[in-house]
Amino acid sequence: MIRQCAILFGCLALGELIVFLTGIKLPSSIIGMLLLTLFLKLGWVKLHWVQGMSDFLVANLGFFFIPPGVALMLYFDIIRAEFWPIVIATLVSTALVLIVTGWVHQLTRKIK
């Protein structure tokens, strides 16, 4: 359990360090996950070393959405005032992501 936490938090800390040193405009948690993926692919970290903790975190993922949900209640007045721009932006961006993802997938399938 301690080794699993150390590996996961170590990758997160490396991500923090990379963001601090380079100033990359990417969340350090994303960089940490990419590093963990790289370490798993290279075999530097074995899957069974982190399997238990990652299964626990995924099983309890819903709890991580409680704080943002509670914080969202503070902004109901702003959301009510800007409801339609938020809805339109959400729909347009979702459609664009689906279209671009499909286009890139078709493009990469042709290249193979």
Side-chain angles (χ1 to χ4, degrees):
M1 181 74 136
I2 293 174
R3 176 171 59 179
Q4 296 173 15
C5 285
I7 292 170
L8 293 177
F9 285 125
C11 288
L12 178 61
L14 279 174
E16 289 279 350
L17 182 66
I18 290 171
V19 168
F20 177 75
L21 293 176
T22 63
I24 294 175
K25 300 293 182 199
L26 232 115
S28 58
S29 57
I30 301 295
I31 294 174
M33 283 193 301
L34 291 172
L35 288 172
L36 179 61
T37 303
L38 176 70
F39 296 159
L40 285 165
K41 288 287 187 185
L42 293 175
W44 296 353
V45 173
K46 303 295 182 206
L47 181 60
H48 67 274
W49 291 354
V50 293
Q51 184 80 40
M53 182 59 71
S54 58
D55 286 345
F56 171 78
L57 291 171
V58 170
N60 295 294
L61 193 59
F63 291 116
F64 298 116
F65 289 100
I66 292 173
V70 171
L72 190 64
M73 288 189 245
L74 297 173
Y75 300 101
F76 277 154
D77 55 335
I78 296 172
I79 293 171
R80 187 178 298 115
E82 300 294 330
F83 179 75
W84 287 113
I86 292 170
V87 168
I88 291 169
T90 302
L91 292 174
V92 168
S93 63
T94 300
L96 284 174
V97 166
L98 288 172
I99 291 167
V100 170
T101 302
W103 178 73
V104 169
H105 176 71
Q106 288 179 347
L107 188 66
T108 57
R109 298 273 300 178
K110 286 180 184 177
I111 293 173
K112 281 185 169 180

mmCIF file of all heavy atoms in Angstrom, residues 15-26 31:
data_model
loop_
_atom_site.group_PDB
_atom_site.id
_atom_site.type_symbol
_atom_site.label_atom_id
_atom_site.label_comp_id
_atom_site.label_asym_id
_atom_site.label_seq_id
_atom_site.Cartn_x
_atom_site.Cartn_y
_atom_site.Cartn_z
ATOM 1 N N GLY A 15 5.483 15.374 -12.178
ATOM 2 C CA GLY A 15 4.689 16.267 -13.020
ATOM 3 C C GLY A 15 4.724 17.692 -12.516
ATOM 4 O O GLY A 15 4.862 18.638 -13.300
ATOM 5 N N GLU A 16 4.613 17.863 -11.193
ATOM 6 C CA GLU A 16 4.715 19.200 -10.588
ATOM 7 C C GLU A 16 6.074 19.824 -10.877
ATOM 8 O O GLU A 16 6.172 21.009 -11.206
ATOM 9 C CB GLU A 16 4.497 19.120 -9.075
ATOM 10 C CG GLU A 16 3.092 18.823 -8.654
ATOM 11 C CD GLU A 16 2.190 20.031 -8.667
ATOM 12 O OE1 GLU A 16 2.688 21.168 -8.822
ATOM 13 O OE2 GLU A 16 0.975 19.832 -8.549
ATOM 14 N N LEU A 17 7.111 19.028 -10.739
ATOM 15 C CA LEU A 17 8.470 19.520 -10.972
ATOM 16 C C LEU A 17 8.660 19.938 -12.429
ATOM 17 O O LEU A 17 9.251 20.988 -12.712
ATOM 18 C CB LEU A 17 9.493 18.452 -10.583
ATOM 19 C CG LEU A 17 10.960 18.834 -10.732
ATOM 20 C CD1 LEU A 17 11.317 19.941 -9.747
ATOM 21 C CD2 LEU A 17 11.843 17.626 -10.522
ATOM 22 N N ILE A 18 8.154 19.135 -13.341
ATOM 23 C CA ILE A 18 8.279 19.459 -14.770
ATOM 24 C C ILE A 18 7.557 20.759 -15.089
ATOM 25 O O ILE A 18 8.075 21.616 -15.808
ATOM 26 C CB ILE A 18 7.771 18.290 -15.634
ATOM 27 C CG1 ILE A 18 8.734 17.111 -15.533
ATOM 28 C CG2 ILE A 18 7.570 18.717 -17.082
ATOM 29 C CD1 ILE A 18 8.237 15.832 -16.164
ATOM 30 N N VAL A 19 6.343 20.927 -14.552
ATOM 31 C CA VAL A 19 5.597 22.173 -14.788
ATOM 32 C C VAL A 19 6.337 23.357 -14.183
ATOM 33 O O VAL A 19 6.441 24.419 -14.799
ATOM 34 C CB VAL A 19 4.164 22.060 -14.222
ATOM 35 C CG1 VAL A 19 3.484 23.414 -14.184
ATOM 36 C CG2 VAL A 19 3.342 21.083 -15.038
ATOM 37 N N PHE A 20 6.884 23.176 -12.991
ATOM 38 C CA PHE A 20 7.609 24.263 -12.327
ATOM 39 C C PHE A 20 8.856 24.665 -13.105
ATOM 40 O O PHE A 20 9.134 25.845 -13.290
ATOM 41 C CB PHE A 20 7.986 23.844 -10.903
ATOM 42 C CG PHE A 20 8.790 24.855 -10.158
ATOM 43 C CD1 PHE A 20 8.199 26.005 -9.658
ATOM 44 C CD2 PHE A 20 10.148 24.671 -9.966
ATOM 45 C CE1 PHE A 20 8.943 26.958 -8.973
ATOM 46 C CE2 PHE A 20 10.911 25.614 -9.284
ATOM 47 C CZ PHE A 20 10.297 26.755 -8.789
ATOM 48 N N LEU A 21 9.609 23.669 -13.578
ATOM 49 C CA LEU A 21 10.873 23.960 -14.257
ATOM 50 C C LEU A 21 10.687 24.470 -15.679
ATOM 51 O O LEU A 21 11.476 25.285 -16.160
ATOM 52 C CB LEU A 21 11.763 22.714 -14.262
ATOM 53 C CG LEU A 21 12.280 22.243 -12.900
ATOM 54 C CD1 LEU A 21 13.068 20.955 -13.049
ATOM 55 C CD2 LEU A 21 13.112 23.325 -12.231
ATOM 56 N N THR A 22 9.672 23.970 -16.373
ATOM 57 C CA THR A 22 9.502 24.326 -17.779
ATOM 58 C C THR A 22 8.442 25.390 -18.017
ATOM 59 O O THR A 22 8.471 26.045 -19.056
ATOM 60 C CB THR A 22 9.134 23.085 -18.617
ATOM 61 O OG1 THR A 22 7.871 22.580 -18.169
ATOM 62 C CG2 THR A 22 10.196 22.023 -18.518
ATOM 63 N N GLY A 23 7.503 25.533 -17.093
ATOM 64 C CA GLY A 23 6.419 26.493 -17.289
ATOM 65 C C GLY A 23 5.389 26.038 -18.303
ATOM 66 O O GLY A 23 4.654 26.851 -18.860
ATOM 67 N N ILE A 24 5.329 24.743 -18.564
ATOM 68 C CA ILE A 24 4.348 24.191 -19.501
ATOM 69 C C ILE A 24 2.947 24.525 -19.013
ATOM 70 O O ILE A 24 2.657 24.456 -17.822
ATOM 71 C CB ILE A 24 4.514 22.657 -19.619
ATOM 72 C CG1 ILE A 24 5.852 22.320 -20.250
ATOM 73 C CG2 ILE A 24 3.377 22.038 -20.418
ATOM 74 C CD1 ILE A 24 6.137 20.831 -20.283
ATOM 75 N N LYS A 25 2.075 24.888 -19.917
ATOM 76 C CA LYS A 25 0.701 25.245 -19.561
ATOM 77 C C LYS A 25 -0.198 24.002 -19.596
ATOM 78 O O LYS A 25 -1.220 23.974 -20.256
ATOM 79 C CB LYS A 25 0.152 26.296 -20.527
ATOM 80 C CG LYS A 25 0.939 27.565 -20.548
ATOM 81 C CD LYS A 25 0.802 28.291 -19.231
ATOM 82 C CE LYS A 25 1.563 29.594 -19.307
ATOM 83 N NZ LYS A 25 1.872 30.152 -18.028
ATOM 84 N N LEU A 26 0.218 22.975 -18.884
ATOM 85 C CA LEU A 26 -0.546 21.732 -18.781
ATOM 86 C C LEU A 26 -0.653 21.401 -17.301
ATOM 87 O O LEU A 26 0.298 21.635 -16.556
ATOM 88 C CB LEU A 26 0.207 20.604 -19.498
ATOM 89 C CG LEU A 26 -0.591 19.827 -20.523
ATOM 90 C CD1 LEU A 26 0.025 20.078 -21.871
ATOM 91 C CD2 LEU A 26 -0.579 18.384 -20.204
ATOM 92 N N ILE A 31 0.480 15.508 -16.630
ATOM 93 C CA ILE A 31 1.863 15.127 -16.908
ATOM 94 C C ILE A 31 2.250 13.937 -16.038
ATOM 95 O O ILE A 31 2.914 13.004 -16.507
ATOM 96 C CB ILE A 31 2.810 16.315 -16.694
ATOM 97 C CG1 ILE A 31 2.496 17.397 -17.728
ATOM 98 C CG2 ILE A 31 4.269 15.889 -16.789
ATOM 99 C CD1 ILE A 31 3.246 18.681 -17.542
#
